[in-house]
Amino acid sequence: MSNELLYSKDHEWVRVGEDGIAVIGVTDFAAGQLGDVVYVDLPEVGASISAGTEMGEIESTKSVSDLFAPLDGTVTEVNQAVVDSPELVNSSPFEDGWLVKASFLSLPPDLMQEAEYKDSVGE
């Protein structure tokens, strides 16, 4: 995990780029818990997302889980590579396996730093 990331209680990570756009993905912990990811359903570009609400689904060989938005914003880009190759969520959750990019006004105060997130998942 990288120190530049923030984490939600729902196991999404957020990295804010120099352009002020948030990149959102699921953590390696969540990817490991899910098992082999076989399908992702992501919001469309232009969709509004709200912190703590469903923004899509992720299906693995074990189950189907909701994806929750870690912040309020508007989707500006969807990672088509993940749609085409969902296994990227498992093989590269913090780089190639990002899910969406979103513009936002402010970050929710409940996003955690790496150490706090690791404590919350028992790592």
Side-chain angles (χ1 to χ4, degrees):
M1 288 190 231
S2 167
N3 285 331
E4 65 185 12
L5 302 178
L6 296 171
Y7 302 87
S8 75
K9 64 178 176 50
D10 296 312
H11 310 290
E12 281 83 23
W13 57 260
V14 176
R15 179 188 312 119
V16 179
E18 291 181 13
D19 57 1
I21 298 294
V23 182
I24 299 168
V26 297
T27 66
D28 56 348
F29 173 81
Q33 294 294 310
L34 287 166
D36 294 333
V37 175
V38 295
Y39 177 77
V40 292
D41 178 37
L42 300 174
E44 295 182 10
V45 171
S48 294
I49 57 175
S50 298
T53 64
E54 182 184 331
M55 69 173 189
E57 289 184 338
I58 189 164
E59 182 177 342
S60 71
T61 54
K62 292 181 178 177
S63 66
V64 177
S65 301
D66 292 331
L67 287 171
F68 294 98
L71 49 76
D72 297 336
T74 302
V75 175
T76 60
E77 187 176 343
V78 173
N79 187 355
Q80 188 61 43
V82 164
V83 174
D84 295 340
S85 302
E87 64 275 11
L88 288 172
V89 172
N90 296 108
S91 64
S92 183
F94 297 107
E95 297 298 332
D96 299 331
W98 62 272
L99 301 176
V100 298
K101 294 183 179 180
S103 61
F104 64 100
L105 294 178
S106 63
L107 293 172
D110 62 343
L111 291 177
M112 296 176 270
Q113 298 290 327
E114 180 180 18
E116 187 178 3
Y117 177 74
K118 282 184 169 184
D119 284 348
S120 75
V121 297
E123 288 186 348

